[in-house]
Amino acid sequence: MADPIVSFAAFEGSNATAVRIEPGDDARVLLPHLDRLTLVEVTFPAFRDGRGYSSARILREAGYTGTLRAAGDVLVDQVPYMKRCGFDDFVPNAPLDAAVVEKLSSLYPEPYQRTVDGKVPVWKLRHG
Amino acid sequence: MYQYDKYDQAIVDARVEEFRDQVRRRMAGEITEDQFKPLRLMNGLYLQLHAYMLRVAIPYGTLSSKQMKMLGHIARKYDRDYGHFTTRQNVQYNWIKLEDTPDILADLASVEMHAIQTSGNCIRNISSDQYAGAAADEVTDPRPWAELLRQWSTFHPEFSYLPRKFKIAVIASPEDRAAMRLHDIGIELVKKDGVLGARIFVGGGMGRTPMIAPEINPFVKADDLLSYLEACLRVYNRYGRRDNAYKARIKILIHEHGADNYRADVETEFAHVKTLDLDPPLAELERISAFFAAPAFDPNASDDVDRSDPDFAVWLDQNVKPHKAKGYAIVNIAVKPTGGIPGDATSDQIDLMADLALDYSFDELRVTHAQNIVLPHVKKSDLYAVWQKLDAAGLANANLDLVSDIIACPGLDYCSLANARSIPVAQKLSERFADLDRQRDIGELKLKISGCINACGHHHAGHIGILGVDKKGVENYQITLGGSGAEDVSIGKIMGPGFDQDGVVDAVERVIEKYREVREGDERFLDTYRRVGNDVFKEAVYG
């Protein structure tokens, strides 16, 4: 049984290893505590609210290696973007069509930008 | 011009396949319209009053003749034989069938074009100076920088669900022909100690709360630019308002948060982002720049032009601008026929402009934010031949920058957001001022019409602006005076109570006649307005 997920407000001062952050929470607050975190759940109450993409990337940029979960209004067409921002676990409100996720995720061969997913950007491929 | 390599082509081809699948899922009912909406919007596909509208990206407004021909082909095959050039240097098709859109995108991809991010709350098509590469006053060609930004912003995973849309313009001349400071980010390329860099303005925009972007950084080096912009966007994504769509643009954040606070936040973020190795090497900008090398101008081209045909001479004086190369000129094709729809061109006209570009302008065309087309590199000895062909196609109206060179949004004839029609007002005004001698006597006058507060017709930046509103179910038109989208940027001020459609045409005429009465020397309307103020015109109109 995994540790319970605590809210962002309850996290500081606790010894929790799993935390949930909402769109308005500043992920940078977690950076001093990355060593003990094993799960960060980033919520998407509405898919149009893209703050969680920045939260995820900030955590990965700081070296977070635990599970990074996108939860809530997570739709199949957003999943590739989420993966590029470092998400590796998805708990959507409605089930995702695995075949579509797979197709979309393999559709784009090389990206233009370097992010945190380890993919080599096009400019790097061009210039080595 | 930029040419795709295998990486660019693969990305655009992948988009076609992705959208084909999204359309299939929508048509099969696997996704709802609400879920489909943001997906189609990121492909520039809107559901308007009568049909789907597809907006096709024309990055920094530059096209080859082959690409222009494809625009004509799409108009002919999938639409009603015309296209509409927009204030974002793009083209829109107003009568598109959803099931045709994947094929249209495939046709576009075959000529290195797409509709990526021409809508949606993401980084939109990068706009630029329509005279780039031809203007005598530029410090460099801004388009390689714009292409660098096009690639960086394409499918940027962190910035595809921003609080609101995000528009970036890049210029490289002291004369601003792209309304740079009315963009979310405006970039002016400048030289410091012989090195090119970017002067960054953030937080401009029109819409219901027009703002002029303040300078956020006087000089960002080329190899820091993408990191700096990542920082600018990340701060916006974090703090931009999401409680109210009308307050979600970055201009509101800058206004509420303060430019100094925003700048400090960006600096902090930049210090972090710069450690991530996100910036391409300068060799990438050099690679792109090579595609924009100046064409092989004839060093012996003559500056002499035979002005003996008086109609040609008028067009020459009004629509043809100086070029940096001796013996060449910049030709403006005003897509503003008397009584016509600003920016609309038929398939045949599009084809003709493509042919002229191939034969006379080193295979290049530009779209301007004023909804006109430019042939950027025409030999002066060819000008008469070009003019004759344009004239035969109804494209030689010599009204560039005159009162009938009107910017107008699609308005209530097409747009689901509009409160009032724009097109009939533009048509009536261009008929009222059809006399070219009178227009030329009035001189430069930028008249811009929006059919709602969203200001797609740039009325805030019009020397004379017209804003259509809904007043208890009746179309009503307010006049603003004194705006400018140029380097002397300003926001127009409302003159007084609004008018009905015919009334606003009469009121504009009274304003202009007042200007002719009180102007001094060779003052433009805008100069006179700034000297004498609002009341003189108010008095003339309302008595």
Side-chain angles (χ1 to χ4, degrees), chain B residues 498-539:
Chain B
F499 309 88
D500 66 14
Q501 207 176 84
D502 290 321
V504 77
V505 175
D506 293 339
V508 166
E509 189 169 33
R510 282 198 289 274
V511 166
I512 289 173
E513 287 311 314
K514 188 55 160 178
Y515 153 70
R516 291 172 90 182
E517 193 186 312
V518 301
R519 68 180 165 190
E520 291 179 356
D522 56 0
E523 271 182 343
R524 300 172 303 162
F525 171 81
L526 183 63
D527 304 322
T528 301
Y529 173 83
R530 287 174 173 170
R531 179 173 56 80
V532 306
N534 209 38
D535 289 348
V536 173
F537 297 101
K538 204 168 172 175
E539 170 75 21

Side-chain angles (χ1 to χ4, degrees), chain A residues 28 47-51 53-54 57 61 76-78 81 107-108 110 112-114 126-127, chain B residues 5 8 18 22 25 38-39 151-152 154 158 160-161 230 234 237-238 242 272 277 284 287:
Chain A
R28 294 175 297 179
F47 70 82
R48 286 188 183 82
D49 189 333
R51 283 177 284 187
Y53 294 87
S54 287
R57 212 175 145 194
E61 284 167 0
V76 67
D77 294 283
Q78 277 88 52
Y81 290 77
L107 203 57
Y108 291 99
E110 272 96 22
Y112 279 127
Q113 320 79 3
R114 186 196 298 284
R126 284 173 179 149
H127 298 282
Chain B
D5 65 7
D8 301 306
E18 180 186 41
Q22 288 167 344
R25 281 185 280 140
L39 307 178
Q151 296 188 22
W152 162 73
T154 296
E158 186 178 339
S160 291
Y161 294 90
E230 290 257 346
R234 185 174 278 183
N237 199 33
R238 179 182 299 140
R242 292 176 187 265
H272 160 66
D277 191 20
E284 175 63 359
R287 183 191 74 88

Side-chain angles (χ1 to χ4, degrees), chain A residues 93-110:
Chain A
N93 291 341
L96 302 175
D97 183 329
V100 178
V101 171
E102 177 57 33
K103 183 178 174 184
L104 290 178
S105 294
S106 59
L107 203 57
Y108 291 99
E110 272 96 22

Side-chain angles (χ1 to χ4, degrees), chain B residues 62-81:
Chain B
T62 293
L63 285 159
S64 68
S65 59
K66 187 176 165 190
Q67 292 172 322
M68 187 74 160
K69 283 261 176 175
M70 180 56 81
L71 298 185
H73 166 78
I74 290 168
R76 197 173 279 120
K77 182 169 178 187
Y78 301 103
D79 202 284
R80 296 187 179 176
D81 211 26

